Each structure stands twice: as C-alpha cells, then as structure tokens.
Amino acid sequence: MQKYIDLVDSALRECVKIKDNPQKKIYEAMGYSLFAGGKRLRPVIMMMTAKMLGKEPEIVLPFACAIEMIHTYSLIHDDLPAMDNDDLRRGKPTNHKVYGEATAILAGDALLTLAFETAISCDFEGVCKKSVIRAAAELAKAAGADGMIGGQIVDIDSHDEDEELLKYLHSLKTGALIRASGVIGAILSGAEGKQIDAIDGFCKNLGIAFQIQDDILDVEGNEADLGKPIGSDAENNKSTYVTLFGIEKARSLSEEYTRKAIHCLDIFENSGELCALAEKLIRRKA
Amino acid sequence: MQKYIDLVDSALRECVKIKDNPQKKIYEAMGYSLFAGGKRLRPVIMMMTAKMLGKEPEIVLPFACAIEMIHTYSLIHDDLPAMDNDDLRRGKPTNHKVYGEATAILAGDALLTLAFETAISCDFEGVCKKSVIRAAAELAKAAGADGMIGGQIVDIDSHDEDEELLKYLHSLKTGALIRASGVIGAILSGAEGKQIDAIDGFCKNLGIAFQIQDDILDVEGNEADLGKPIGSDAENNKSTYVTLFGIEKARSLSEEYTRKAIHCLDIFENSGELCALAEKLIRRKA
C-alpha cells in the first residue's frame, strides 16, 4: 500500500509546488491540507484497480491526484465556521484556523479547480481521449450536486435521519467519491461493462463498511489515534449506524458489507490487494 | 446580442433543473444566482468568436454555460461574510442572505463542479475530443490559482496596490476568464495559432477596458442601474484605476484599451459583432 501512497504523494507535491508570485499563499494553504495526514484511500483504490486489471498504476495518477484534491477541498469547506466549525482535523488545526476563512474558502475552490485541470491532463499511451473525458465526467458527477455535495446538503439540512435517509446521505457524501475511485480506475484501464459493474459493487459496499466503521470510531475510538475529539456525532444529535443499530449490530453490519464487497471481486484473478484493503479498513483505528 | 443570451439562458436552465430529491435545495440555490440578472458577457464573447470564425455558436454552448457557472460561483463565494460580506448583488439579496452561508458555499462548489461536467460533455460533429480537453484545460487554468482565484487572493491580501500590482490583480481576477472566453471559442472553432493569439489580444484589452469602466461606475454610476451602492471601493480603501489616475484619465484609458482590442481583430473579416460589443461595454451604465 505504501508504494501507491508514495506515488500519489510525490505527484501531489508537484501539483502544488509554490511559485514565486503574489498569490503564493494560496499554494501554501492548498498544500497544508493536502499533506495533513490523509489516508489516500481513494487514490489507493484507483491505483489498485488499475493494477488488478493488468495496467501500470501510473496511468491513473492524474485522476488519483484529482480525487484526493476533491476529497481534501471538501474537508476544508466542511470544517468552516459556517459548516461544521471544526478547529482540528487529524490532530492539526484546520485550514481556516491557520490561514483565515477567506483563504480557506479560496484554497478549497482552487483545489477543486486544480483537480479537473490535473485529471484532464491525463495523457498516456493506451489511454484514449474518450476514456479521459468519460472518467472526468464520472469524477464531476460523483463530486457534484447529485454526489458528494448533494450528500452534504442533506447532512446539514436533516436531523434524526431514519435508516433510509442515512443510507442515502452516506451513499452521496462519502459513497460517491469512493465508487468513482474504482470506476475511474476501471475506465482508464479499458475495462468493460461487467468488470466496471463488479468494481462499482465492490466500492459501493466498501464505502458503507467504511462509514459504519467511522461511526463506530466516533464512539469507541481513541482521540489520540483519530486526531479529533470523539463523541461529536452524539453531541450534534447526528443519526449514525451506531445510534440506529447499536454498536454490536453496527460491527456485524460492517463485517457483512466488507464480505459483500470482497464477493463482488470474484470475477477477477488478481483481486488480492483490494481484498486486503477492505479487510484492513474495518480493523482500522483512525 | 439577445439571441446569444437566450441560447445560453435556456441551456443553463436545463443544467440546473430542479429534481425531486432530498438535495433539491442545492439546485434552487444554484439557479437563484445563475438567473440573478448577469450580463452573460463571457458566453456572448465565446459565441461571437465561434460565429466570427464561421461556426454555429451552438458548438461552444456547453463551454459557454460552464464559464458562466464559474463566473457565478465566484460571485457567490466573493459575497460571503468571510470575503466581501455583501448583502446585495444586482439589486437582489446575495445567495447567503437567501439560503444561508453553508448552502451558499456548497452552491458555489456545485456550480464549479457542474461547470466542468457541462464543459466536457461538449459533443458536436467537427469538434474533436482533443479540442474539448484543450479547451477544458484553458478553462481550469483561467479559473484556478494562477487565474481568477489567484487574483482573488491578491485582492484580499493587498491594500493600496500600486499600478503594477493593480494590473496584475485584474489580469487574473477578471481578465483570465474573459480571455478564456475568446480563446476557448477559438479552440473549439478549430482556429490556429495566429488567430487564437489575435482573439486573446482582443479579450485581454477588452478585459482591462471593462475593469476600468467598472471602477468608473463605482464612482459615478447610478445605484439603481447598478443594483448596489456606489463608492464601495473608496470605502474599502481599494486602489482602482480611478484612485490611481483620476476619472478623466481613467476614461481615456478605457477608450484606448477598447481601440487596442478592436485593432487586434483586424485580421478577421467578420469581426463586426465583437467590435460592437467592445464599444457597447465602455458606454454601459451597469
């Protein structure tokens, strides 16, 4: 896993290299959050997908960077005083605490913009322009009003969600981008319909398991591991898988979705890395 | 001009049509600002460029919508309390005054995301995928940290700018997107190097003339026409072309840049519409 993280990290460093111009502060602010200890889950899924399909992970690198930029911008905007008003993220002060609200808003905007600039720069032998456009369309859809942002709106507008709304919310807020990671990896690797569907199914179930584990960690995680206070869901009266089902049932649901995810990859021969990733995610402590 | 505006307006309406889902508020908020009385300057430049180059303006329509979405998102974020903290825009309450800050931030994010989704959906006979990708790259560059957002950062961080910094700031903050309008229109129309350069030169000079006229209107405009209070630049101690050069000199500079802009189009035979647009812009009252 570390080799994929190193690949995407060094590509991301190139993308936000500070230039000596009057707006250099924006690059500092973008880089601050990009390198604040993210797990790189989405890029890793994308690169492992390419690898499983027999391609070099490098061919998805521009999109892997792009999806991490989009994930990061969403966290910066999420943490703003007008949204969740969080002071800490992964143990470090949030972007607006360091750079001020105006710069944090603009750093998020700039990361989102750079994401698309980086994605469409994807130019490798064997990856046709049509696939690049199709992959960029998946990325935009997953990040937009019927994807991640849609989930955000539902999240800030609803309280005491029932199971159905909770599932809907998470399928957009965290699920859409995780699914896009696999689907884009598959598209750029030249996969066909049945293969893309299988990878989409894997990511869909993995995304739910991941979210349930998130909810569990908010109850019984370790604040030092997580880099943020636990119990914030309860404090904000948020429905979670734990408040709806209790901790034991949540744990078994997370196992169940992980099984389902892994089962989706039965049609592939080299699915070992992705299966191991799924197992690792439900054992994670942060 | 109206026919171009009608074209882009009806395409934009399609893009933000309200769906019956839990996040429909986001579409309302996006549509509110998209249809709050913008001049559609950037789409009009793009469509007139295509027309001048012998193409149907419809072939640039996805990008025309995209650039207007990006312009609109930048205004929504600009107006936020953490930025300019404006209550009125074109005589109407600003987005966050109507929908709240959190939704306004997300509506801006969603418009920026939808812009790229819309642009890369561009699919017309005679427009190759390579041109679409090249045009999308221009759009991202013009909107990003070395374009519009870069100008924003310089604007919020600097006071009493000298002439050089003022020009730099405007070349990014308003100039970059206006230039991209012409350049993208040219790329999608299959123009070559010399033609693209000429259109870029036109837009560059037009952008400066436009900004100077903006500064003049902030001093001697009519509040009813503008839909916002005048004198805000002076109140915020902002350097402008008027504070640096005085109103008379600013007026002659704006004439001069308009001449320069028009002169750039000498190599084209059908530049009448774009020339008339340039003339109209320095006579505008709002």
Side-chain angles (χ1 to χ4, degrees), chain B residues 210-221:
Chain B
F210 181 82
Q211 183 59 52
I212 298 173
Q213 181 65 10
D214 232 42
D215 291 349
I216 293 171
L217 287 171
D218 192 63
V219 174
E220 55 176 36

Side-chain angles (χ1 to χ4, degrees), chain B residues 1 4 40-54 178 181-183 185-186 189 195 198-203 206 257-259 261-266 268-282:
Chain B
M1 192 154 158
Y4 297 118
R40 311 298 190 217
L41 172 62
R42 293 152 195 82
V44 166
I45 291 173
M46 202 186 284
M47 289 189 276
M48 284 183 172
T49 300
K51 188 85 202 228
M52 180 178 75
L53 294 166
I178 291 178
S181 307
V183 169
S189 302
Q195 291 179 311
I199 289 160
D200 187 31
F202 168 78
C203 292
L206 182 87
Y257 281 110
T258 301
R259 287 307 123 231
I262 290 173
H263 182 63
C264 290
L265 299 182
D266 285 352
F268 300 104
E269 278 180 10
N270 303 309
S271 62
E273 279 186 347
L274 281 173
C275 295
L277 175 69
E279 295 282 3
K280 198 179 156 178
L281 284 179
I282 49 166

Side-chain angles (χ1 to χ4, degrees), chain B residues 89-259:
Chain B
R89 160 87 57 190
R90 298 170 190 142
K92 294 177 73 175
T94 45
N95 199 291
H96 65 273
K97 281 280 154 192
V98 179
Y99 296 96
E101 264 184 80
T103 299
I105 293 168
L106 293 170
D109 294 345
L111 279 170
L112 175 54
T113 311
L114 186 60
F116 287 103
E117 186 177 349
T118 306
I120 56 173
S121 76
C122 181
D123 187 22
F124 295 98
E125 219 182 285
V127 180
C128 69
K129 294 288 173 244
K130 227 171 136 177
S131 297
V132 171
I133 286 178
R134 192 174 153 202
E138 288 286 340
L139 186 63
K141 228 177 130 222
D146 287 334
M148 185 180 73
I149 294 173
Q152 277 281 69
I153 278 282
V154 176
D155 197 16
I156 61 175
D157 272 1
S158 58
H159 300 281
D160 298 322
E161 301 93 348
D162 60 16
E163 187 185 342
E164 198 190 349
L165 192 62
L166 186 76
K167 277 188 174 172
Y168 180 77
L169 183 168
H170 288 311
S171 73
L172 299 185
K173 192 176 167 181
T174 53
L177 223 50
I178 291 178
R179 284 171 79 171
S181 307
V183 169
I184 289 170
I187 290 171
L188 296 173
S189 302
E192 330 130 14
K194 221 179 70 179
Q195 291 179 311
I196 294 177
D197 289 346
I199 289 160
D200 187 31
F202 168 78
C203 292
K204 185 178 161 182
N205 287 293
L206 182 87
I208 301 171
F210 181 82
Q211 183 59 52
I212 298 173
Q213 181 65 10
D214 232 42
D215 291 349
I216 293 171
L217 287 171
D218 192 63
V219 174
E220 55 176 36
N222 180 308
E223 298 200 353
D225 289 340
L226 291 166
K228 64 176 179 184
I230 65 165
S232 65
D233 292 332
E235 205 174 295
N236 298 324
N237 291 316
K238 285 268 166 213
S239 288
T240 73
Y241 281 95
V242 176
T243 63
L244 284 182
F245 298 107
I247 194 106
E248 283 313 315
K249 173 81 178 158
R251 228 189 297 271
S252 70
L253 277 173
S254 141
E255 291 278 354
E256 191 185 319
Y257 281 110
T258 301
R259 287 307 123 231

Side-chain angles (χ1 to χ4, degrees), chain A residues 207-263:
Chain A
I208 300 171
F210 181 82
Q211 182 60 51
I212 298 174
Q213 181 65 9
D214 232 42
D215 292 350
I216 293 172
L217 286 172
D218 192 63
V219 174
E220 53 176 39
N222 179 308
E223 298 200 352
D225 288 341
L226 290 166
K228 63 176 181 183
I230 65 165
S232 65
D233 292 332
E235 205 174 295
N236 298 323
N237 291 314
K238 286 269 166 210
S239 289
T240 72
Y241 281 93
V242 177
T243 64
L244 284 182
F245 298 106
I247 195 105
E248 283 312 316
K249 173 83 177 157
R251 229 189 298 270
S252 71
L253 277 173
S254 142
E255 291 278 353
E256 190 185 321
Y257 281 109
T258 301
R259 291 303 125 232
K260 276 192 198 168
I262 289 172
H263 182 63

Side-chain angles (χ1 to χ4, degrees), chain A residues 149-250:
Chain A
I149 295 173
Q152 276 282 69
I153 280 282
V154 176
D155 196 17
I156 60 175
D157 273 1
S158 58
H159 301 281
D160 297 321
E161 301 94 348
D162 60 15
E163 187 185 341
E164 198 190 349
L165 192 62
L166 186 76
K167 278 188 174 172
Y168 181 78
L169 184 169
H170 288 311
S171 75
L172 299 185
K173 193 175 165 181
T174 53
L177 224 50
I178 291 178
R179 285 173 78 171
S181 306
V183 170
I184 289 169
I187 290 170
L188 296 174
S189 302
E192 328 131 15
K194 221 179 69 180
Q195 291 179 311
I196 294 177
D197 290 346
I199 290 160
D200 187 31
F202 168 77
C203 292
K204 186 180 160 181
N205 287 294
L206 181 87
I208 300 171
F210 181 82
Q211 182 60 51
I212 298 174
Q213 181 65 9
D214 232 42
D215 292 350
I216 293 172
L217 286 172
D218 192 63
V219 174
E220 53 176 39
N222 179 308
E223 298 200 352
D225 288 341
L226 290 166
K228 63 176 181 183
I230 65 165
S232 65
D233 292 332
E235 205 174 295
N236 298 323
N237 291 314
K238 286 269 166 210
S239 289
T240 72
Y241 281 93
V242 177
T243 64
L244 284 182
F245 298 106
I247 195 105
E248 283 312 316
K249 173 83 177 157

